[in-house]
Every structure is written in structure tokens, then in C-alpha cells.
Amino acid sequence: MTRRRLFEATEDQQDAINTMFFSSRPLKLAKLLMRGRRVFVVLLLLGFVSVMTKFALQLNALQELRMREGIAFIRRPSIVLQHNMVSEGDEGYNVALKQRSSRQTGDIWTQPNSENYYKCINRTKKDILKRNATNGYIMIKANGGLNQMKLGISDMVAVAKLMNATLVLPSLDDKSFWTDPSDFKDIFNWKNFMEVLKDDIMIIESLPPELADLKPLPRAPVSWSKASYYRGYMSSLLKQHKVLKFTYTDSRLANNLGGSFQRLRCRAMFEALRFSPEIEQLATKLVNRLKNNNSRYIALHLRYEKDMLSFTGCSHNLTKDEDRELAKIRKQTSHWKHKTINGTNHRLQGVCPMTPREVAVFLEAIGFPLDTKVYVAAGEIYGRDGIRPLKDKYPNLFFHSNLATEEELQPMKNLHNQLAALDYIVALESDVFIYSFDGNMAKAIKGHRRFEGFRKTINPNKQQFVTLIDKLDNGMISWEKFSSKVKKLHENRIGAPYSRVARGDHKLEENFYANPFPGCICEKSGGSSTVAKQQ
């Protein structure tokens, strides 16, 4: 009822009262009734005002609540963004972050179930070397960085078997990006190499005296060649020229060979190619220091180095000057085919190495506490911010440079392949291995960890992760939802057993050394364990 109607109603009531009472009642009674009417009207008005006031207050409170919720929705992403950019200063804010992270750990350290699997690389009787006359000698120049050379040498061991050739101890690339002059005996335990493979192929330290002055025939084998290529064409060249020198060893053998040759590749890669005693001894010290007091650690292969960024064309979060420097390196490197690269598209396709900041956010989102020990297996991190975004969030950051003493590292100073060998062992022995780029080191170590019992190895789904983190930074998703999605996305990407599928094209299938199951790992018959399928 409106105020106007209320007053109209009271006026009608007044007329009715005057008619009924003033004509037939004494004046005093009329006055009393008039006073009662006025009190009634006043009370009625007060009640109406009270109801309207209460309604207005509730409406204002509801509008204010909605406004606060809207402000909170706008502000939350900026807090997350501030947190993810690893800002410094606010102590209370940092404490809140630590408390949040500590609730997300769960069973992050739990290893995959692999009890139903075992190594199976033993030779059969027919695989054992018969010591027949050799068809000739193969000299190899392993090219690339440490792990690329390690993969290539393992292939060349199988190639020597295919060609019935004698292998001369490999020489190593000293003209790659790192220009490391170390040779095979400086990095690898060459005596172990010869001992482990003595029943597979003949290996000698150098050519026999009668062939020492013979100029070898240089050849670069065709990439991803099948066994028939080496048994046929290459073997005929070897018989004709006696000594061949393979100038490239990277990816020169097909991914899929017969069972005995796959087992031989694993023996070469995971057992024969051990590092020198000096490197292994120092690496053992570093592992013991990280595991002091029964603590656990992550090994992180952070491939955010100048050569890789230049090769992939990735410059996310770098300055324009840094981007130009990478482009210049790419153009000046003659054997890199692609000179003009769209780095933004590469990142969205999951091709780029994760940045230090992306890695920091990933580690927290997946559940690692902020006080976790992180061993970084990498060279110098590129960019003006360098490693800082990761170190600000995970301060317990270790490298071989701060875990070993100067005296211990002195024999390896500026010898990048030897230092990479240190990193390899520390990563192999870690509780969890995580890699930011699926390069040669990632392939070698994750395959070796599978071979040693499927040790936990987290393989980031970079294509979906960069989409998620971009949404987080743009305020399109909350931290809680972001973290939940990252965890869900990586449930089956922890290095659990699953069978590598041969597809007949190396571009469409997983690298053999990255997952030697089947081939070098077998499953017990009648087992009940489930083989996880990687997403």
C-alpha cells in the first residue's frame, strides 16, 4: 500500500466516523475517537517506514556484497600473478605461500609400481662373438654434446656388430657449441667399455701398425638407416677400403631392430658407457651431500641455455636484444636448417624449453614444497633474469658449482662434457627427475631410469601447461583450479611402465633409448601389475 492510498483510506475512515458518531454522540466521545484515530495513523506510518528502512538496508548490503565479490574476482588474479612472478619483500605474503604449498604435497615422492618388470639384456649363445676374421675397421667421430655422443656411440656398437667390423675407440666432437677438448678416455671408463662388450664386438684402442698410415674413407651414414643398409652397402665399402671413418653418429640407426641388437644397444648405453672413475667418485659425493640426513631431492634438467634457445627460436620473456642475439647465432650456424622461426607458435605447440619461472610455477602447482632440494643439471641459464625466478621460489637450489668445492672441480674446469657427466649421474640417482625440454639428456636419463627400475620421472605436458599458465596470468583461472588441472594432467606422466609402440616412422614414435620397453625390459608372466598409458 502506498502512502497516497494510505492517506486516502484514512480520509474515508474520517468521513465515516463523523457521520456515525458526531451526530449521535457527545462531543467528548468524538474527541477521544479523533485522538485514537491519530494514534492509529501514526503507528501505521511508523510500521510502514520501519519495513521500508529494513528493506533498503538489506538491498544495500546485497549490492555491497556483490561489489566486494566483483572486486575480489578482479584482484585474485593479480595476487596470483604477483605470486607467480616471484616478487620479493612481503614476508607475510611469502609465509602464506609456503602454507598453501605445504598442503599440496600428498604422495609426490611415491615411485611408480614396477615390481613386475626386470632387465632382460643377456646374450643368447648365438649372440656371442665367434672371433672370426673382421671385415675391417670402423673409426667414429661422435658429434654433438655429451648425451648425443653417448647415444650415437651406442648405435655405432650395434653397427659394428651388423657389419662384422672392429671398432676403434671413439673420438669425440671438440668443435660443437661447448668446444670441449676432452676425449673418450677423459670422460668414459674405457676399460669398462671394452670389457662389457668383449663378447659382442671387437674393440681396439687404435688401428694396427700396418694400417696406421692408411687414410680411412670418410662417410656420413644416412640418418635412421635400417640394418640392411649397414649389412649391404656399408659392409661392401668396408671390405673394399678396410677402414671407414664415420663423421657423424647422431641418429644414424633405425629406432627398431631385431631383439639381439636392441639388447646390445642397451648394454652399450647403460652398462658399457660408464663415466671415468674420477667423475663417478665426485658424483657420488654430490649425491651423498644432497641426501644427507635422509633428505630427498629433485634433479631438474633446465635446458634454458643459449644454444638451445637459439636452435628452437624460443625467446618468451627475453628482451629484444636477447632475441636478436639468438637469431644471429642461428643464422651463423650453417648446419641448422631453420633460420626464421616463430617462437610464439613454438611455445604454444610445446616445442620450447620451459622458462625458469614456468618451472617454478609448475613445481609448486604439482605439489613440491617450497623447501624442496632442487639440483639443476644445466649450463649457464640465459637471459637477464637468469635462474632468479626459480631460486626466489625454491631457495634450496643446487648446482655442481655450489655443491662441490673449487678444489674438487678444478680438474674439470671449463670442460663442459665432463661437468655434464657429473650432472648425468646426479640426475640418474635423484628421487625425482624432471626435464623442461625433451632433448638428448632427457632421453638418455629417463631411459636409464626406466632401465634401473622405473624411477620417478616427470614429463611436463608443455603444450597444455603453457595454455594453463597463460590463463592464470590473465586472471582467467584461479590458482586452486590451475593447480588441480596441472596435477590431473600429469597423473600418468611419472615414468611408470608402458610399452613403447613401434610405428615404422621415427617421427611418430618414442625414441628407443628413452623407453627401452620392450627390448631391454621384460614383464613377468602372470603378473597383475597394470601398464600405465602415457597421455
Side-chain angles (χ1 to χ4, degrees), residues 1-11 45 48:
M1 181 183 294
T2 64
R3 293 178 63 182
R4 180 178 178 182
R5 289 179 180 176
L6 180 63
F7 283 122
E8 287 176 352
T10 54
E11 287 174 357
L45 285 172
F48 176 75

Coordinates of all heavy atoms in Angstrom, one line a residue, residues 1-11 45 48:
M1 N 0.8 -1.2 0.0 CA 0.0 0.0 0.0 C 0.9 1.2 0.0 O 1.8 1.4 0.8 CB -0.9 0.0 1.2 CG -1.9 1.2 1.3 SD -2.8 1.2 2.8 CE -3.8 -0.2 2.5
T2 N 0.6 2.2 -0.9 CA 1.4 3.4 -1.0 C 1.0 4.4 0.0 O -0.1 4.3 0.6 CB 1.4 4.1 -2.4 OG1 0.0 4.5 -2.6 CG2 1.8 3.1 -3.4
R3 N 1.8 5.4 0.2 CA 1.5 6.5 1.2 C 0.2 7.2 0.8 O -0.7 7.6 1.6 CB 2.6 7.4 1.4 CG 3.8 6.8 2.1 CD 5.0 7.7 2.2 NE 4.6 8.9 3.1 CZ 5.5 9.9 3.3 NH1 6.7 9.9 2.8 NH2 5.1 10.8 4.1
R4 N 0.1 7.5 -0.5 CA -1.1 8.2 -1.0 C -2.4 7.4 -0.7 O -3.4 8.0 -0.3 CB -0.9 8.4 -2.5 CG -2.1 9.1 -3.2 CD -1.9 9.3 -4.7 NE -3.0 10.0 -5.2 CZ -3.1 10.3 -6.5 NH1 -2.1 10.0 -7.3 NH2 -4.2 10.9 -7.0
R5 N -2.3 6.1 -1.0 CA -3.5 5.2 -0.8 C -3.8 5.2 0.7 O -4.9 5.1 1.2 CB -3.3 3.8 -1.3 CG -3.3 3.8 -2.8 CD -3.1 2.4 -3.3 NE -3.2 2.4 -4.8 CZ -2.9 1.3 -5.5 NH1 -2.6 0.1 -4.9 NH2 -3.0 1.3 -6.8
L6 N -2.7 5.2 1.5 CA -2.9 5.1 3.0 C -3.7 6.4 3.5 O -4.6 6.3 4.3 CB -1.5 5.0 3.6 CG -1.6 5.0 5.2 CD1 -2.3 3.7 5.6 CD2 -0.1 5.0 5.7
F7 N -3.2 7.5 2.9 CA -3.9 8.8 3.4 C -5.3 8.8 2.8 O -6.2 9.3 3.5 CB -3.1 10.0 2.9 CG -1.9 10.3 3.7 CD1 -0.6 10.3 3.2 CD2 -2.0 10.4 5.1 CE1 0.5 10.5 3.9 CE2 -0.9 10.7 5.9 CZ 0.4 10.7 5.3
E8 N -5.6 8.4 1.6 CA -6.9 8.3 1.1 C -7.8 7.4 2.0 O -9.0 7.7 2.2 CB -6.9 7.8 -0.3 CG -6.3 8.8 -1.3 CD -6.2 8.3 -2.7 OE1 -6.4 7.0 -2.9 OE2 -5.9 9.0 -3.6
A9 N -7.2 6.3 2.4 CA -8.0 5.4 3.2 C -8.4 6.0 4.6 O -9.5 5.9 5.1 CB -7.2 4.1 3.4
T10 N -7.4 6.7 5.2 CA -7.7 7.4 6.5 C -8.7 8.5 6.3 O -9.5 8.7 7.2 CB -6.4 7.9 7.1 OG1 -5.8 8.8 6.1 CG2 -5.5 6.8 7.4
E11 N -8.7 9.2 5.2 CA -9.7 10.3 5.0 C -11.1 9.7 4.9 O -12.1 10.2 5.4 CB -9.3 11.1 3.8 CG -8.1 12.0 4.0 CD -7.7 12.7 2.7 OE1 -8.3 12.4 1.6 OE2 -6.8 13.4 2.7
L45 N 2.0 4.5 10.1 CA 3.1 5.1 9.4 C 4.5 4.7 9.9 O 5.4 4.4 9.1 CB 3.0 6.7 9.5 CG 1.9 7.3 8.6 CD1 1.7 8.8 9.0 CD2 2.2 7.1 7.1
F48 N 5.2 1.2 8.6 CA 5.5 1.2 7.2 C 6.9 1.7 6.9 O 7.7 1.1 6.2 CB 4.5 2.1 6.4 CG 4.8 2.3 5.0 CD1 4.5 1.3 4.1 CD2 5.4 3.5 4.5 CE1 4.8 1.4 2.7 CE2 5.7 3.6 3.2 CZ 5.4 2.6 2.3

